[in-house]
Amino acid sequence: MKKYASVLLAAFVLTTGLFTAEAAPADSGLSLSCASCLLMEKETGAILLEENSHEKLEPASVTKIMTLLLVMEAVDSGRISLDDPVAVSAYAAGMGGSQVYLKEGEQMPVSEMIKCVTVVSGNDCSVALAEHLAGSEGAFVAQMNQRAQELGMADTTFLNCTGLPAQGHVTSAHDIALMSRELILNHPKIRDYTTIWMDSIRDGAFGLTNTNRLVRFYQGTTGLKTGYTSSAQYCMSATAERDGMELIAVVMRSPTVGQRFEDAKALLDYGFANYSLVPVYPEAPLAPVDVLLGVQAQVQPQLERDCRLLVRKGEEGQVGTRLSMAEDVEAPVERGQILGRLEVYVGEELRDTVPILAPEPVERLSIPGIFGRMLSKLLMAG
């Protein structure tokens, strides 16, 4: 690995050279039945394969990924608890379609509602959760669309929280991948539900079997959500993890349920066969940086984050780093102050830049402190 040191300028621009393959299935040799698809790596967000990925299509119950995202954000922020009882309104109980036949006035914990949404795509539970969080489905849908905008989902308009047919309720494979990534990356507890194959509710009186066959039949499956209506046809966002790399495969408008799963498996197989995540570290431990006029003589720099680089299989041996560090820094030093950077290359191509920071502040010496330090040095020299 290559390494060099240089004096750090007062400021520098951090660049990230994340590659995006963006090959079409035809270029990859895959034969898919779906009208639109996209394959994404979770950690980096890199797009590995796509075709017609921005075409606006009906998502059916894949819509519920956004419903689940808002619910998990509320749970993880402490706004609601998994044990909170959710009361069922007449409106929620009358949703129809995929359901667990909730009755008006019935109560079920948030955790059981989430399980019903992820495993059997319960429309009634989706609406009950929406009402619990926002007061009404309409208010919740407004939050869904706001969150979609924040995630950059420019192809998306939600009109309900279930995916039941509604004119103008559309999204794209690209946008589904974005919300899927947000859910699995930042709310990993959703796996507790999306990996269930069979379970039950109401003390075992009502059985549940996952609509996602991959949970049972595809190695490493972690989720995520299927969807079907006669107009949307068969859709899904499939997630799976192998060797520490998690992929998101989105397929839309597959003509049959079997072809939907075959399309998803083909995309995932392609990703696992052709890409890997490589952990990257500096060649040697980071040396302390001298602090001029500081109450501490040195500060120990740290990488801002762990670095794992997505590479094509066979490129692992081409990964190298270049280290750029300040020789010294003048106090005061702030917590999080940039002291250098680690550039990560594949061959000569820059793929990532990781800032190197001061993990703690260092105050500046007072004038008496400066004279005291000088006197101490003189005495020691004598």
Side-chain angles (χ1 to χ4, degrees):
M1 287 189 176
K2 295 172 285 185
K3 182 176 71 172
Y4 69 91
S6 67
V7 177
L8 184 69
L9 299 177
F12 54 78
V13 178
L14 297 177
T15 60
T16 300
L18 173 66
F19 74 96
T20 302
E22 294 187 349
D27 301 327
S28 65
L30 298 183
S31 177
L32 305 178
S33 68
C34 55
S36 171
C37 68
L38 185 140
L39 178 67
M40 176 181 286
E41 192 278 317
K42 176 194 74 175
E43 189 169 315
T44 62
I47 297 171
L48 309 182
L49 202 70
E50 63 177 343
E51 186 164 31
N52 302 325
S53 64
H54 286 281
E55 185 176 353
K56 295 181 180 182
L57 298 168
E58 294 180 58
S61 285
V62 178
T63 296
K64 295 184 178 84
I65 293 172
M66 181 59 80
T67 301
L68 291 165
L69 174 60
L70 294 185
V71 171
M72 294 307 296
E73 286 178 342
V75 169
D76 289 344
S77 68
R79 288 194 289 121
I80 64 172
S81 165
L82 290 172
D83 297 325
D84 288 347
V86 178
V88 179
S89 69
Y91 177 68
M95 271 299 102
S98 301
Q99 58 182 306
V100 296
Y101 303 98
L102 295 175
K103 303 296 184 185
E104 181 182 0
E106 183 177 358
Q107 291 193 350
M108 188 177 287
V110 168
S111 60
E112 292 285 272
M113 290 276 186
I114 294 172
K115 181 166 66 176
C116 293
V117 173
T118 57
V119 177
V120 296
S121 199
N123 293 321
D124 44 6
C125 293
S126 297
V127 173
L129 284 167
E131 292 175 336
H132 184 69
L133 262 70
S136 70
E137 184 186 19
F140 186 81
V141 170
Q143 295 178 13
M144 293 171 67
N145 284 310
Q146 175 63 34
R147 195 71 182 93
Q149 289 183 13
E150 293 168 356
L151 292 174
M153 297 168 57
D155 306 324
T156 298
T157 301
F158 293 121
L159 298 178
N160 58 54
C161 68
T162 59
L164 287 168
Q167 186 66 37
H169 182 98
V170 295
T171 187
S172 66
H174 175 269
D175 287 5
I176 290 170
L178 290 180
M179 64 179 177
S180 299
R181 178 178 184 249
E182 183 70 16
L183 177 59
I184 64 175
L185 180 65
N186 294 315
H187 306 281
K189 191 171 179 61
I190 196 65
R191 275 197 191 190
D192 294 349
Y193 304 96
T194 57
T195 55
I196 293 171
W197 174 236
M198 299 182 73
D199 207 326
S200 63
I201 56 173
R202 301 187 181 107
D203 297 322
F206 190 94
L208 308 173
T209 302
N210 205 318
T211 59
N212 182 4
R213 294 181 192 169
L214 300 187
V215 170
R216 176 68 176 82
F217 297 108
Y218 189 81
Q219 178 192 346
T221 295
T222 57
L224 187 62
K225 191 71 198 72
T226 61
Y228 168 79
T229 64
S230 58
S231 53
Q233 297 187 283
Y234 293 91
C235 312
M236 81 177 303
S237 178
T239 57
E241 182 175 9
R242 293 181 185 174
D243 299 322
M245 181 175 70
E246 191 165 11
L247 301 179
I248 302 162
V250 180
V251 298
M252 302 189 75
R253 290 189 66 82
S254 287
T256 70
V257 64
Q259 287 173 300
R260 169 179 66 188
F261 292 121
E262 290 304 313
D263 287 348
K265 287 194 294 183
L267 288 168
L268 293 169
D269 284 346
Y270 173 85
F272 289 127
N274 289 282
Y275 295 90
S276 61
L277 278 174
V278 177
V280 179
Y281 307 98
E283 185 179 74
L286 298 176
V289 174
D290 292 336
V291 180
L292 306 178
L293 303 178
V295 295
Q296 297 172 214
Q298 294 180 320
V299 63
Q300 178 60 53
Q302 292 182 358
L303 292 175
E304 180 187 53
R305 55 179 167 83
D306 292 336
C307 179
R308 295 208 301 166
L309 194 68
L310 182 71
V311 298
R312 292 177 177 85
K313 290 286 181 71
E315 289 183 337
E316 295 89 343
Q318 301 176 39
V319 177
T321 62
R322 296 175 185 172
L323 182 65
S324 175
M325 286 291 298
E327 293 181 354
D328 53 50
V329 62
E330 186 173 332
V333 177
E334 297 180 358
R335 183 190 306 274
Q337 183 171 325
I338 295 174
L339 302 176
R341 60 184 177 184
L342 182 72
E343 294 179 339
V344 185
Y345 290 81
V346 175
E348 294 300 317
E349 180 187 359
L350 178 64
R351 288 282 184 85
D352 198 3
T353 302
V354 183
I356 299 172
L357 310 178
E360 57 188 17
V362 179
E363 295 181 4
R364 189 179 179 90
L365 281 170
S366 63
I367 292 177
I370 293 173
F371 282 112
R373 180 172 289 182
M374 292 173 59
L375 180 60
S376 176
K377 287 182 178 179
L378 286 172
L379 291 173
M380 290 177 64

